[in-house]
Amino acid sequence: QVQLVESGGGLVQAGGSLRLSCAASGRTFSSFAMGWFRQAPGKEREFVAGFSRSGSITRYKESVKGRFTISRDNAKNTVYLQMNSLKSEDTAVYYCAADMLPVLQIVPHYWGQGTQVTVSS
């Protein structure tokens, strides 16, 4: 089992930045592939960014490449999502996710409770 708690969401103007954090507790942090998904109103949840359990593979949704950066601090059991040059279409609830498999699946094993990100234009 692992528990995921997100923080760092909020309201920001277009072009601004936010950094989301996901604190993990429970099993060894390095035992999981980790990442971020988001869900906008009326839309399905979608993958945003993630890295493999080994940490050697990092993937991003095409529309966030060059703007978002995912990172992890194993000593703090925390995953971060640095979001720059935010656009109104980035508005969504952002969810931290963990998967026991080597890479994140479409439906990971564990979800956080979500944090709202609202980008005003």
Side-chain angles (χ1 to χ4, degrees):
Q1 285 278 9
V2 64
Q3 292 76 44
L4 306 172
V5 179
E6 302 99 331
S7 61
L11 173 65
V12 63
Q13 289 187 335
S17 299
L18 281 175
R19 188 177 79 156
L20 305 183
S21 300
C22 172
S25 60
R27 289 185 58 177
T28 304
F29 182 71
S30 58
S31 298
F32 298 91
M34 301 288 296
W36 294 90
F37 288 70
R38 69 187 182 187
Q39 187 167 19
K43 296 187 177 181
E44 293 186 352
R45 194 171 298 188
E46 62 180 8
F47 170 80
V48 176
F51 44 75
S52 61
R53 189 169 61 196
S54 67
S56 61
I57 301 173
T58 304
R59 295 184 297 126
Y60 293 92
K61 178 180 173 60
E62 191 64 34
S63 63
V64 307
K65 285 182 179 179
R67 300 189 298 121
F68 291 12
T69 302
I70 188 171
S71 62
R72 64 194 293 173
D73 185 333
N74 287 343
K76 295 183 178 180
N77 283 359
T78 301
V79 178
Y80 303 98
L81 185 67
Q82 178 66 44
M83 306 185 294
N84 299 327
S85 302
L86 283 161
K87 304 176 181 180
S88 57
E89 51 262 44
D90 296 317
T91 295
V93 177
Y94 283 71
Y95 296 91
C96 181
D99 206 310
M100 297 174 65
L101 296 176
V103 295
L104 276 177
Q105 304 302 300
I106 294 176
V107 183
H109 287 105
Y110 302 102
W111 294 104
Q113 83 286 354
T115 185
Q116 177 70 47
V117 171
T118 302
V119 184
S120 62
S121 56

